[in-house]
Amino acid sequence: MLLRQTCTRWAPNGSQVSNSRVRCLTGAVRRVSHQSIKQLTIGVSSAVFVFISYSLFTNPPWSHASIAADQPLSYQHFIPASIIESKESGPATKLITLSIPKALAPEDCHPIYSVYIKDDDLQIERPYTPLFGVEKNGEMVFWIKRYEGGEVGRWLHSKNVGDTVEIRGPVPTLSLAKEMENDWDQIIMISGGTGITPFFQLLHLFLQDGSGKAVTKPHITLLHSSPNPEELPPPIILSTLRSLEQSHPGAFTLKVFVDSPHPSSFAYSDASFKPLHIGRITKRDINATLEELGLWGRSLPSKSSLLSWLNPFSYLSRPSHTTSSSPQLPEKVLFLVCGPEPMINAIAGPRARDLTSGPVRGALGALGFTAGQVRKL
Ligand SMILES: Cc1cc2nc3c(=O)[nH]c(=O)nc-3n(C[C@H](O)[C@H](O)[C@H](O)COP(=O)(O)OP(=O)(O)OC[C@H]3O[C@@H](n4cnc5c(N)ncnc54)[C@H](O)[C@@H]3O)c2cc1C
């Protein structure tokens, strides 16, 4: 208060300080007692403390205030990215390409990782998976779904080429780099809708590393499902995967499912969609895949075990094929499941409350697979 009064008296405007104003200031300073200086110090310190605390609370390092336009892409702060392409890829999906300056792209990222994109209007962020990672030229291609009542997806779909969004990352989704070749003979991925994006990133980087070396282990199978042919992943995803399947016959197998075949004209025009399996991915399809891979030569579970699968408490009882007369459960098989919540629930059971994978239920639980072999992304 004292400081404010003094200031308004001695320098209200203009850069020249007159002699009378200097005298006024000198007088004011003389009048300031020792007690006042003490109060002033306490006041200023408190104000600085309150300001810093407020700033840290309202603007943590990952929030809107932490924008570092000239810093490399990092999970600790946001940097601006330009939308350089945005095109429809189905009834509710778009392929959106973002670009950051080449010099700001991170050196080395191991799949699988995502990048947070912030909705500037609501100040909320969501993670999205760059299909080809953060490319050396600073570009990132995303396949993004818009949900009816959703926030960030809808906001992103409304953005145009030339607009800027803020991003931070990369943030690891699942690190498989170390265990990939040594721990698993087979990796079976099961995805629904845009849940294919983390698997695409892994497959692209793992199978297409440019080193020319033949990848033999682990063998990867991807079972993907979409509601109908129109909503299948765009060619940049599906055709690329079909090409990878053809160029790596011993290393990768792709199976595509649709809940319903309509509109059929859409699907059958593109070879990359074929063969198209009709119906949701079920325990039977997983079982058939395990058989094709030579992992167990088991016929489908008996009627009684199918009935026990329909029983919500069946996971409490022992799976039928673990009886002494059945073949051993394949051990070096890892399942990765990513998709809408109801699909994850049906295939592998719900996630735990802390969003970790939790116990294995659903189709994989009924087949006898346990938590160490199943990851829910
Ligand atoms: C690691 C990771 C990577 C991901 N990668 C991708 C990707 O590459 N592409 C992609 O499309 N998605 C991806 N996602 C999902 C993405 O992060 C978002 O969760 C998704 O886009 C939905 O966000 P939103 O803000 O649009 O919708 P939200 O606002 O979060 O809403 C999501 C759903 O909840 C419903 N909902 C919203 N509000 C309510 C309410 N009040 N009551 C009931 N229901 C409600 C909406 O209708 C919608 O169906 C990824 C997720 C993770 C964790």
Side-chain angles (χ1 to χ4, degrees):
M1 185 67 175
L2 174 69
L3 188 69
R4 206 166 142 233
Q5 278 171 356
T6 307
C7 291
T8 46
R9 254 187 275 152
W10 65 264
N13 51 42
S15 55
Q16 292 273 316
V17 181
S18 69
N19 281 346
S20 62
R21 279 173 187 156
V22 170
R23 278 196 298 279
C24 165
L25 173 66
T26 316
V29 169
R30 278 200 205 105
R31 280 195 300 276
V32 172
S33 66
H34 181 71
Q35 184 63 23
S36 303
I37 289 175
K38 213 169 152 191
Q39 282 173 353
L40 183 68
T41 311
I42 293 168
V44 170
S45 311
S46 308
V48 169
F49 175 77
V50 168
F51 175 75
I52 291 174
S53 310
Y54 178 77
S55 299
L56 284 174
F57 179 73
T58 55
N59 307 318
W62 53 90
S63 85
H64 66 279
S66 181
I67 299 165
D70 53 351
Q71 296 292 309
L73 182 63
S74 155
Y75 69 92
Q76 288 171 314
H77 54 242
F78 284 98
I79 66 168
S82 314
I83 298 180
I84 59 167
E85 193 163 55
S86 177
K87 55 182 184 192
E88 302 281 345
S89 57
T93 55
K94 271 190 170 184
L95 279 164
I96 297 177
T97 307
L98 301 184
S99 175
I100 56 171
K102 197 175 157 185
L104 305 187
E107 286 280 300
D108 209 8
C109 307
H110 293 285
I112 305 168
Y113 61 86
S114 60
V115 168
Y116 277 88
I117 302 180
K118 187 170 59 154
D119 174 341
D120 242 355
D121 296 344
L122 290 174
Q123 297 295 321
I124 52 172
E125 56 171 23
R126 298 275 186 269
Y128 294 97
T129 311
L131 295 175
F132 304 96
V134 184
E135 295 171 69
K136 293 231 174 328
N137 64 1
E139 289 182 12
M140 288 153 258
V141 182
F142 298 91
W143 187 43
I144 294 179
K145 178 161 182 171
R146 181 189 71 236
Y147 295 91
E148 256 327 293
E151 300 295 352
V152 181
R154 265 188 320 139
W155 179 82
L156 270 170
H157 275 234
S158 74
K159 294 278 151 195
N160 299 312
V161 170
D163 287 347
T164 300
V165 296
E166 282 154 22
I167 62 170
R168 70 177 183 95
V171 177
T173 305
L174 180 70
S175 176
L176 279 175
K178 282 198 189 125
E179 54 184 317
M180 190 95 171
E181 288 177 44
N182 300 327
D183 294 5
W184 308 109
D185 292 337
Q186 300 281 344
I187 294 182
I188 300 177
M189 302 165 164
I190 304 176
S191 62
T194 47
I196 197 171
T197 54
F199 300 151
F200 181 88
Q201 189 195 72
L202 179 73
L203 284 161
H204 170 75
L205 294 171
F206 180 65
L207 296 176
Q208 210 162 292
D209 67 352
S211 68
K213 75 171 186 198
V215 183
T216 50
K217 203 178 148 221
H219 179 277
I220 301 178
T221 306
L222 170 59
L223 309 182
H224 173 77
S225 72
S226 289
N228 56 62
E230 239 180 346
E231 293 185 54
L232 278 168
I236 195 173
I237 295 178
L238 221 45
S239 302
T240 306
L241 291 177
R242 280 284 180 231
S243 305
L244 284 176
E245 188 184 33
Q246 278 151 19
S247 57
H248 297 79
F252 172 54
T253 309
L254 171 67
K255 286 187 182 181
V256 183
F257 295 73
V258 282
D259 301 357
S260 149
H262 305 292
S264 53
S265 55
F266 182 87
Y268 302 114
S269 59
D270 189 329
S272 63
F273 296 134
K274 295 175 194 166
L276 199 55
H277 301 263
I278 310 298
R280 287 189 166 161
I281 300 169
T282 63
K283 181 180 169 187
R284 277 175 176 264
D285 302 300
I286 299 169
N287 199 69
T289 302
L290 291 167
E291 282 185 17
E292 283 157 25
L293 292 168
L295 294 177
W296 73 41
R298 225 163 55 78
S299 56
L300 275 174
S302 65
K303 200 174 163 199
S304 61
S305 65
L306 277 176
L307 282 175
S308 80
W309 183 55
L310 292 173
N311 171 0
F313 302 107
S314 62
Y315 62 87
L316 294 172
S317 59
R318 235 173 142 212
S320 60
H321 65 274
T322 54
T323 56
S324 55
S325 59
S326 300
Q328 283 293 304
L329 201 63
E331 276 176 10
K332 295 186 90 180
V333 181
L334 175 68
F335 287 90
L336 305 176
V337 189
C338 185
E341 220 56 45
M343 191 206 90
I344 292 187
N345 295 351
I347 301 290
R351 265 187 272 257
R353 275 170 182 232
D354 62 0
L355 295 182
T356 55
S357 288
V360 182
R361 295 177 187 167
L364 294 176
L367 284 167
F369 291 99
T370 52
Q373 289 178 282
V374 178
R375 315 249 168 101
K376 304 168 196 173
L377 275 69

